[in-house]
Amino acid sequence: MKKLFALLLVGAMSISLLAGCGNSGNGAAEGEKAPQETGEDAGGAASSDDAEAPAKDDAEAPEDTASSDSPLIGISVPKAVTGWTAAVSYYAEKYCEDNNLNYKLVQAESTNDQANQVDDLIGMKPAAIVLLPINDELATAAQTILDAGIPLINFDRTLGGVTPDYYLAGDNPGCGKNGADWMVEQLGEDFTVVVCSVTSWGAIAEERKEGFETRLAEIAPNAKVLNEYASESASQEDGLKLMADVLQSNPEVDAVFCVDDEQGVGILQAINEAQRTDIKAVYAAGGGATNYLNKIEEGSGDMAIATVSYYPSMIADSIKLAVDVLAGEGSYEAKTIEEAVVIDKTNLEEWKSSIGYDPNSPY
């Protein structure tokens, strides 16, 4: 009986010790900082130009130096399946660390996953939540945030019929419109162009494409859109395949408009491999991918190359907005749309400095 009692006592102590270690990982307690997760690059498929960043082990989580008395900021974003979304997490965590904020960053693999994570964040009673929704199916979860009386800052993608307290994003129509202005400056008012979109993007791609075509018709009625094409994703690989087909279908074309930088890298590769010297301008409608910026810097013969700012570091502006609102500082409109600045060889370095470009970013 004494031996049996001793065994039972040892077992109970072991269970108690294990229970005390149960708060690590993604189920972190209120105020605990989650380690950054990184994933694949390029529009749902890995880009050959960007290496996949290794996931951080929980043991390597940054030391929590923020005061437990400071307000908790919840940040919910999609899991890093593209270079752009990977960089959103990168810049979010960088801003919070640099400013010693008390924050919880979560990354979702699906809409259901993100809705569940939002519920978890609400349970932590944060002072505010910054939300980059996977899509507008997160409207119900967003309404739950509002119903809980928690200020909601909606970043980039909209929430259908739900109106957040604050919305901050880049100028998608402007990304297209300003591209038309740039292209006319390069080629005059009489040229041919093909338009390349992304089928899985929905409203974002449509707004950029329509902004380009509407503006082009206004300022250069003699310019002709030969045809519209689309790849399934914005990956470099899909852009390469798409453009190879476009070049076969169009033996002569003056310019190319596409909706994304990573897609644009594949498009440039296809043009160079086909040795097409008829194409004089390529414009990607967002938003500052390193591998595309390198193409701008390197140049390609007589072909002009440009993109437009829609950089993932805008997430830091959303977090700053939350902090300022909680502190009663600054003056913010309910809707903030950041300017779409065209980037080519003439202003590349100046633009990098203006947005705090980090060459170590995944995008």
Side-chain angles (χ1 to χ4, degrees), residues 264-316:
V265 174
I267 286 171
L268 289 171
Q269 182 181 345
I271 293 170
N272 290 330
E273 289 179 355
Q275 298 182 336
R276 290 287 293 266
T277 58
D278 52 309
I279 299 172
K280 300 300 183 185
V282 174
Y283 178 90
T290 294
N291 50 2
Y292 192 84
L293 296 179
N294 290 342
K295 301 297 182 185
I296 294 176
E297 189 169 17
E298 294 163 6
S300 183
D302 295 331
M303 183 167 61
I305 306 172
T307 184
V308 64
S309 58
Y310 202 103
Y311 203 63
S313 63
M314 287 189 293
I315 184 69

Side-chain angles (χ1 to χ4, degrees), residues 36-79:
Q36 179 191 356
E37 299 174 14
T38 54
E40 292 180 302
D41 189 11
S47 167
S48 59
D49 279 24
D50 292 312
E52 181 175 338
K56 291 184 181 178
D57 188 275
D58 285 346
E60 297 176 358
E63 181 181 354
D64 189 350
T65 57
S67 168
S68 59
D69 295 331
S70 60
L72 175 67
I73 306 295
I75 307 167
S76 173
V77 301
K79 194 174 179 67

Side-chain angles (χ1 to χ4, degrees), residues 28 68 74 94 115 141 169 176 183 199 213 224 247 256 306:
S68 59
K94 185 177 187 299
M183 200 168 285
T199 56
E213 293 180 355
K224 182 179 180 182
L247 294 175
V256 179

Side-chain angles (χ1 to χ4, degrees), residues 205-222:
E206 286 301 307
E207 288 177 358
R208 294 180 182 182
K209 179 172 66 71
E210 289 176 10
F212 172 77
E213 293 180 355
T214 300
R215 179 62 172 170
L216 187 64
E218 292 172 354
I219 63 175
N222 291 329

Side-chain angles (χ1 to χ4, degrees), residues 134-355:
I134 291 176
N135 55 39
D136 59 11
E137 292 179 28
L138 266 293
T140 301
Q143 187 61 54
T144 306
I145 297 171
L146 297 172
D147 291 344
I150 299 170
L152 172 61
I153 295 83
N154 176 200
F155 172 56
D156 187 40
R157 302 168 193 169
T158 56
L159 292 163
V162 172
T163 302
D165 295 295
Y166 298 93
Y167 174 70
L168 186 147
D171 184 359
N172 282 302
C175 288
K177 171 183 172 294
N178 294 352
D181 291 337
W182 174 85
M183 200 168 285
V184 170
E185 288 175 6
Q186 306 304 311
L187 303 177
E189 298 181 9
D190 190 356
F191 60 89
T192 58
V193 58
V194 293
V195 173
C196 299
S197 187
V198 177
T199 56
S200 59
W201 273 20
I204 293 174
E206 286 301 307
E207 288 177 358
R208 294 180 182 182
K209 179 172 66 71
E210 289 176 10
F212 172 77
E213 293 180 355
T214 300
R215 179 62 172 170
L216 187 64
E218 292 172 354
I219 63 175
N222 291 329
K224 182 179 180 182
V225 176
L226 294 179
N227 212 334
E228 294 182 4
Y229 303 87
S231 54
E232 176 59 30
S233 80
S235 72
Q236 178 178 335
E237 291 79 6
D238 277 0
L240 173 62
K241 293 174 186 175
L242 175 67
M243 197 61 197
D245 293 339
V246 171
L247 294 175
Q248 285 185 343
S249 302
N250 298 274
E252 188 170 345
V253 60
D254 296 317
V256 179
F257 171 91
C258 66
V259 297
D260 179 74
D261 280 10
E262 292 175 291
Q263 181 189 48
V265 174
I267 286 171
L268 289 171
Q269 182 181 345
I271 293 170
N272 290 330
E273 289 179 355
Q275 298 182 336
R276 290 287 293 266
T277 58
D278 52 309
I279 299 172
K280 300 300 183 185
V282 174
Y283 178 90
T290 294
N291 50 2
Y292 192 84
L293 296 179
N294 290 342
K295 301 297 182 185
I296 294 176
E297 189 169 17
E298 294 163 6
S300 183
D302 295 331
M303 183 167 61
I305 306 172
T307 184
V308 64
S309 58
Y310 202 103
Y311 203 63
S313 63
M314 287 189 293
I315 184 69
D317 297 335
S318 298
I319 299 169
K320 182 180 186 301
L321 188 157
V323 172
D324 287 350
V325 166
L326 293 174
E329 299 175 355
S331 177
Y332 293 94
E333 301 290 335
K335 186 175 184 179
T336 300
I337 302 299
E338 301 204 350
E339 182 183 3
V341 178
V342 175
I343 306 153
D344 60 14
K345 261 190 169 181
T346 64
N347 65 340
L348 177 58
E349 294 305 319
E350 178 185 355
W351 173 79
K352 284 182 178 180
S353 298
S354 72
I355 54 93

